[in-house]
């Protein structure tokens, strides 16, 4: 079995990033969303790979199969964003989600991030279970820091100490 490689995003990865994210958003969950509706992904180096942030891709046999972003929101806080894993590699066999999250958490600790937040939709039930299993607790929208980058579809929010 091939190994999953987690590595920082590089600009040539952009098509692979969209090939993972858009089918999940549109086909699996029915969101009418395009690449143009996600300007953060158009400028990953500026939006994510600045300050204490970073953006990673998971690769299997040269194909991007997962993504995760850490957005520095100031005051040693960060937002976890754009965590997506292609359906074909979900679950414990490949461990893509766990490897992505472990990479992000290690980076956050090494860079002095103390608190992490995330927003998601109430449709992503498996994601909720994953986040809760990994130390995230649900919070109210009003408990988010002002600097948290809200997405229009987000209606469920989580927090985790790092």
């Amino acid at each position: 079995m091939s190994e999953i490689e987690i590595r920082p995003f590089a600009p040539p990865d952009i098509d692979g990033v969209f090939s993972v994210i858009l089918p999940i958003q549109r086909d699996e969950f029915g969101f009418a969303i395009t690449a143009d509706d996600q300007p953060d992904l158009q400028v990953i180096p500026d939006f994510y790979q600045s300050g204490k942030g970073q953006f990673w891709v998971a690769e299997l046999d040269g194909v991007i199969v997962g993504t995760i972003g850490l957005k520095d929101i100031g005051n040693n806080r960060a937002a976890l964003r754009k965590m997506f894993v292609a359906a074909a590699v979900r679950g414990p066999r490949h461990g893509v989600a766990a490897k992505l999250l472990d990479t992000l958490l290690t980076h956050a600790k090494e860079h002095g991030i103390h608190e992490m937040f995330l927003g998601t939709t109430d449709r992503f039930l498996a994601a909720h279970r994953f986040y809760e299993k990994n130390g995230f607790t649900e919070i109210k929208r009003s408990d988010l820091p002002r600097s948290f980058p809200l997405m229009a579809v987000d209606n469920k929010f989580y927090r985790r100490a790092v």
Side-chain angles (χ1 to χ4, degrees), residues 63-141:
V63 176
I64 292 175
V65 296
T67 65
I68 194 169
L70 183 71
K71 170 71 176 157
D72 184 342
I73 61 171
N75 296 321
N76 295 316
R77 294 171 158 176
L80 185 161
R81 306 253 321 239
K82 301 298 183 184
M83 184 170 192
F84 289 93
V85 176
V89 295
R90 287 186 196 143
R93 180 172 172 240
H94 292 285
V96 177
K99 289 175 183 173
L100 284 166
L101 183 61
D102 287 347
T103 300
L104 179 141
L105 291 172
T106 297
H107 175 93
K109 286 177 190 165
E110 289 172 353
H111 289 84
I113 299 289
H114 299 298
E115 203 171 22
M116 191 172 313
F117 299 87
L118 69 89
T120 187
T121 169
D122 55 11
R123 296 188 202 178
F124 293 170
L125 301 179
H128 304 163
R129 289 189 297 275
F130 177 80
Y131 295 135
E132 291 164 8
K133 184 178 97 178
N134 284 283
F136 287 85
T137 55
E138 190 173 353
I139 61 172
K140 295 181 211 149
R141 180 178 176 160

